[in-house]
Amino acid sequence: MNVGLFFGSFNPIHVGHLIIADTMATSTDLDQVWFVVSPQNPFKKTKSLLHEFDRMDMVERAIADNSRLKATDIEFSMPKPSYTIDTLVRLSEKYPQHIFRLIMGEDNLEQFANWKNHEAILEYYGLYVYQRPRAAESAFKTHPNVRLVEAPLLDISATFIRESIRANRSIRYMVPDVVGEMIERKKFYL
């Protein structure tokens, strides 16, 4: 299978993530998109990060009805913070029958040269890049192993959702109902 890997904290997963993943799975040559739930992003602070098992549970509930979307906890057993190249290598060793591609937003291309072994990621895996408004120009966009994919974008962020929860504002329609119910029931982000 040709598998796209969508890395993130998913803190929480929201409809923007789901739209991008579904678009990648249905409008490219990817057979599936796997959400790689990251315990700790090396570029992000962890102050408001829910436990990885809770975030994994939310992702699994959000995608349960879509057979082209999967979730993986591969990074949970890796050293923290984990780096994308290490995860790609681990997945390639565990699933040698699959071809893995990295899905990322165009805004990440600006910092991509700072990623550990970014040249190896480009050479051996390649990037499927969804466009983002206000993304800086990047020479990586013309690389032969970078595929630009049009995807509908919502200007929605997990930060905005967490702030809305703390301010007692509605998050309806920003997250799948099953995720909203879980957040409310478990009092996440309060």
Side-chain angles (χ1 to χ4, degrees):
M1 275 195 313
N2 202 13
V3 177
L5 299 174
F6 193 8
F7 285 73
S9 302
F10 306 113
N11 189 40
I13 188 167
H14 55 69
V15 294
H17 296 131
L18 295 168
I19 288 169
I20 290 165
D22 189 63
T23 299
M24 290 290 180
T26 58
S27 67
T28 69
D29 60 346
L30 297 174
D31 298 302
Q32 288 188 336
V33 171
W34 293 4
F35 287 83
V36 181
V37 180
S38 301
Q40 182 183 343
N41 179 325
F43 295 109
K44 287 186 178 177
K45 291 184 166 54
T46 60
K47 191 172 80 173
S48 64
L49 198 58
L50 276 188
H51 191 279
E52 59 227 40
F53 294 122
D54 290 320
R55 291 181 287 116
M56 182 74 180
D57 192 17
M58 284 192 285
V59 170
E60 287 176 332
R61 289 170 190 249
I63 64 174
D65 64 347
N66 189 331
S67 63
R68 297 196 66 176
L69 305 181
K70 303 281 183 210
T72 177
D73 62 0
I74 191 87
E75 290 192 337
F76 291 12
S77 61
M78 294 176 66
K80 295 173 184 64
S82 50
Y83 293 91
T84 302
I85 187 63
D86 300 330
T87 306
L88 288 164
V89 168
R90 173 86 53 103
L91 283 166
S92 295
E93 290 169 351
K94 187 171 181 176
Y95 304 100
Q97 71 276 26
H98 297 330
I99 297 166
F100 292 103
R101 308 286 184 219
L102 179 61
I103 296 170
M104 69 164 51
E106 184 180 8
D107 52 331
N108 286 312
L109 287 180
E110 188 178 357
Q111 295 296 320
F112 187 62
N114 297 331
W115 288 30
K116 179 182 174 186
N117 296 4
H118 74 278
E119 302 95 341
I121 294 172
L122 272 175
E123 183 177 344
Y124 299 112
Y125 300 98
L127 308 178
Y128 280 50
V129 177
Y130 56 93
Q131 295 167 316
R132 296 290 295 246
R134 301 177 297 280
E137 276 304 309
S138 168
F140 289 115
K141 283 172 69 170
T142 59
H143 191 283
N145 289 343
V146 172
R147 179 171 175 180
L148 298 176
V149 179
E150 265 190 66
L153 298 177
L154 299 175
D155 193 11
I156 185 171
S157 72
T159 302
F160 180 83
I161 292 168
R162 292 190 306 270
E163 289 169 355
S164 296
I165 292 166
R166 284 192 283 275
N168 203 27
R169 294 190 308 261
S170 173
I171 60 168
R172 188 174 185 193
Y173 307 120
M174 289 187 269
V175 299
D177 290 343
V178 293
V179 171
E181 290 162 9
M182 186 177 173
I183 289 170
E184 188 175 335
R185 187 177 71 255
K186 295 195 173 196
K187 301 191 180 336
F188 289 155
Y189 308 114
L190 291 177

